Amino acid sequence: MPDENVDFKATYSGAQYSTGMGLVYVFNLIVGTGALTMPSAFKEAGWLISLITIAVLGLVSYITVTFMTEAMAIANAKTENRCQRTIRAGSNVQLFEITQRIEMSKMADMFFNRVGIILFNLCIIIYLFGDLSIYAVAVPKSLRDVVCTYAGINNSCNETVGDNDPCWEGVNLSRDNAYRVFVAAFLILLGPFVFFNVQKTKYLQLLTTLARWLAFGMMIVLTIIQLAEGKGQGHPAVASVSGIPNLFGVCVYSFMCHHSLPSLITPIRNKARLSTVLAADYTLILVFYALLSFTGIFTFTKIEDLYTLNFQPNECGRQAVTTVKFIEYFLALFPVFTLSTSFPIIAITLRNNLQAMLSGPTTHPLISRLLLPLLAVIPSTIVAIITNRVDFLVGITGSYAGVGIQYAIPACLVLLARRHIDELLIKGGVQLHRSPFSHVFWVYLVLVWAILCVVFVTINHIINGS
């Protein structure tokens, strides 16, 4: 919490940074695991319908980001200390400056009733659980596909190697069982961290960011070279309705940043053009996603659900875009060392949310110290053992919990926060960071959109039996 003895314009005690750096941080937050499943989703849905879908969902996501910033400004204005300082300081102080970091959970406490808070916590918990499940699948699957070298009977490269085939020639261990071994190893190595409190170090974040952009840059450049040389073998459909539900979930997941906006926006020194900066960020991200996906679907005849697996070490003449072993192994193992660093942090966040929702003042220590940490990691591990489809997990997480966090919660927060505007304006100041989509029509449009999307995706999952 900020020191009450300092002027409220400097109440944020963490390190501050420029608007440009804030743009970079938001970009890095949004572009993550979801990007690795997007080329596969584009391939399934068709290039034209994918382009339209991602553009529409990107716009809706930007609208709700502006809702979040407006709600953050109102929440800042509502804090008791802010109001008192504003009255003392007079009209020279802006009431709606975003200078205190008020997280989404705190805003839920401020503006939601008891039922709303419960639903909010459930949504966050389900989303974090989905995140952990995705990580628990992506890392072992990447390891499995790099380590297992069996290429079919007599090393015939004309065969498609399946999960039931051996991992190695002459060894009685299937690829599926090898995957499960890696899932167990993943749990054993990273699971214990959930019993403690650990934080990402600055240098670990820097290393992870550099590795991410090196990997994305390599994939884009390698596929562009293939296309420029006329070696692209991909012939994606224009549109395929059956692929839309999964595409929708992947796109929602891939634009997710709303739950972390308070931590990223609050430290920005100059927030005068915040909406414009965020619009530029979303435009860049949209272009990046389109570039990554389009180069992939027109280069490869088959897109793996985890895109980096298209660049794995090539032992039997499959379509290859590079023969440099370092690049092959670096890209194939990229999810391993990037997602592994995030897994403990997300697991601890889930544990803390479970504790906040389920624990009370008389909770037995064994529940908070043993049961809740186990609840944070065991269910996601079970899901990873049952399925290794990363695209399916990303689609489900984005289609349901992602819709709640990205659409419904920001819309409800800003709608309820605006009920306090009149009483706050009386105390002085100007309503800063108001969403460009300030008419209540946009709020209800987003809420209706969220409901329709969930209904549509559910119906399609039922029809397709997935």
Side-chain angles (χ1 to χ4, degrees):
M1 292 298 292
D3 185 351
E4 294 185 11
N5 296 319
V6 297
D7 181 79
F8 84 90
K9 285 190 175 181
T11 53
Y12 180 73
S13 58
Q16 293 187 311
Y17 41 74
S18 65
T19 304
M21 187 57 64
L23 185 148
V24 171
Y25 284 160
V26 173
F27 192 99
N28 284 340
L29 174 67
I30 294 178
V31 179
T33 315
L36 298 179
T37 60
M38 191 165 286
S40 174
F42 266 54
K43 182 81 172 181
E44 291 178 8
W47 66 266
L48 180 58
I49 202 165
S50 295
L51 183 61
I52 296 172
T53 300
I54 195 174
V56 171
L57 293 181
L59 174 61
V60 179
S61 181
Y62 169 69
I63 291 173
T64 55
V65 161
T66 66
F67 287 168
M68 278 294 299
T69 56
E70 180 177 341
M72 288 163 55
I74 297 172
N76 268 260
K78 266 189 69 66
T79 58
E80 183 178 355
N81 292 335
R82 169 67 60 79
C83 292
Q84 292 175 351
R85 288 194 186 98
T86 302
I87 294 171
R88 290 199 302 267
S91 60
N92 291 329
V93 177
Q94 295 292 348
L95 185 61
F96 293 88
E97 290 279 6
I98 301 176
T99 55
Q100 296 188 45
R101 186 177 63 198
I102 302 178
E103 300 290 352
M104 186 182 274
S105 58
K106 179 63 175 177
M107 286 189 281
D109 289 337
M110 294 174 68
F111 301 123
F112 290 168
N113 58 23
R114 181 175 177 80
V115 174
I117 293 172
I118 292 175
L119 293 176
F120 167 82
N121 287 328
L122 280 174
C123 190
I124 290 290
I125 288 171
I126 293 171
Y127 177 77
L128 292 173
F129 166 73
D131 245 1
L132 291 177
S133 300
I134 292 165
Y135 288 16
V137 169
V139 173
K141 187 172 184 178
S142 296
L143 287 171
R144 189 275 308 270
D145 283 11
V146 169
V147 171
C148 292
T149 57
Y150 177 77
I153 300 175
N154 298 321
N155 284 328
S156 173
C157 296
N158 295 322
E159 298 181 39
T160 300
V161 180
D163 288 343
N164 294 324
D165 287 313
C167 184
W168 299 285
E169 183 74 33
V171 177
N172 189 23
L173 178 69
S174 69
R175 288 168 55 86
D176 205 27
N177 286 334
Y179 162 76
R180 291 190 174 98
V181 170
F182 282 122
V183 171
F186 182 76
L187 174 65
I188 292 171
L189 291 175
L190 297 180
F193 285 102
V194 78
F195 293 93
F196 308 99
N197 288 315
V198 296
Q199 298 292 332
K200 280 186 179 179
T201 66
K202 174 182 178 181
Y203 300 105
L204 184 59
Q205 292 184 53
L206 178 61
L207 180 63
T208 302
T209 301
L210 290 175
R212 176 192 303 171
W213 289 111
L214 181 59
F216 282 130
M218 285 180 176
M219 290 186 286
I220 291 174
V221 170
L222 288 172
T223 50
I224 287 177
I225 292 174
Q226 290 287 301
L227 294 173
E229 294 178 351
K231 297 179 180 179
Q233 300 180 20
H235 301 283
V238 175
S240 176
V241 177
S242 62
I244 295 178
N246 186 60
L247 173 68
F248 170 80
V250 168
C251 291
V252 171
Y253 185 85
S254 300
F255 280 113
M256 185 68 68
C257 68
H258 302 62
H259 54 306
S260 298
L261 279 178
S263 298
L264 295 177
I265 288 179
T266 306
I268 297 176
R269 282 190 294 269
N270 182 6
K271 305 181 184 70
R273 296 184 298 168
L274 195 55
S275 296
T276 303
V277 170
L278 291 171
D281 229 350
Y282 264 78
T283 302
L284 288 174
I285 291 166
L286 182 62
V287 171
F288 171 80
Y289 282 160
L291 182 62
L292 179 71
S293 300
F294 273 72
T295 54
I297 63 177
F298 283 99
T299 297
F300 298 102
T301 55
K302 177 185 177 182
I303 303 289
E304 301 289 343
D305 61 347
L306 200 62
Y307 187 46
T308 49
L309 297 179
N310 278 89
F311 302 84
Q312 64 183 324
N314 189 350
E315 302 295 340
C316 62
R318 296 185 305 271
Q319 182 184 355
V321 295
T322 180
T323 57
V324 180
K325 291 300 180 184
F326 168 77
I327 296 178
E328 288 182 333
Y329 280 98
F330 175 77
L331 292 178
L333 294 173
F334 164 67
V336 175
F337 49 78
T338 55
L339 301 185
S340 295
T341 60
S342 300
F343 184 87
I345 309 301
I346 297 175
I348 290 170
T349 304
L350 176 56
R351 179 202 68 189
N352 293 340
N353 277 272
L354 287 170
Q355 186 166 354
M357 184 175 181
L358 303 178
S359 298
T362 59
T363 302
H364 195 280
L366 282 178
I367 294 179
S368 57
R369 295 177 184 175
L370 180 62
L371 179 60
L372 294 182
L374 290 175
L375 284 176
V377 294
I378 297 298
S380 60
T381 306
I382 294 174
V383 170
I385 291 174
I386 294 173
T387 180
N388 64 9
R389 286 187 56 192
V390 181
D391 57 341
F392 172 76
L393 293 175
V394 170
I396 291 295
T397 302
S399 298
Y400 295 101
V403 165
I405 295 175
Q406 190 169 157
Y407 299 156
I409 292 175
C412 291
L413 280 175
V414 78
L415 183 65
L416 296 175
R418 286 173 180 172
R419 296 180 179 180
H420 302 268
I421 288 294
D422 290 340
E423 64 181 78
L424 292 171
L425 290 177
I426 293 174
K427 294 181 170 65
V430 178
Q431 185 185 355
L432 302 176
H433 309 298
R434 189 174 184 178
S435 170
F437 309 92
S438 57
H439 197 282
V440 71
F441 162 80
W442 292 104
V443 177
Y444 289 118
L445 179 64
V446 169
L447 290 173
V448 171
W449 168 260
I451 294 171
L452 291 177
C453 287
V454 169
V455 171
F456 168 75
V457 169
T458 302
I459 291 174
N460 274 271
H461 279 306
I462 293 173
I463 292 175
N464 296 328
S466 61

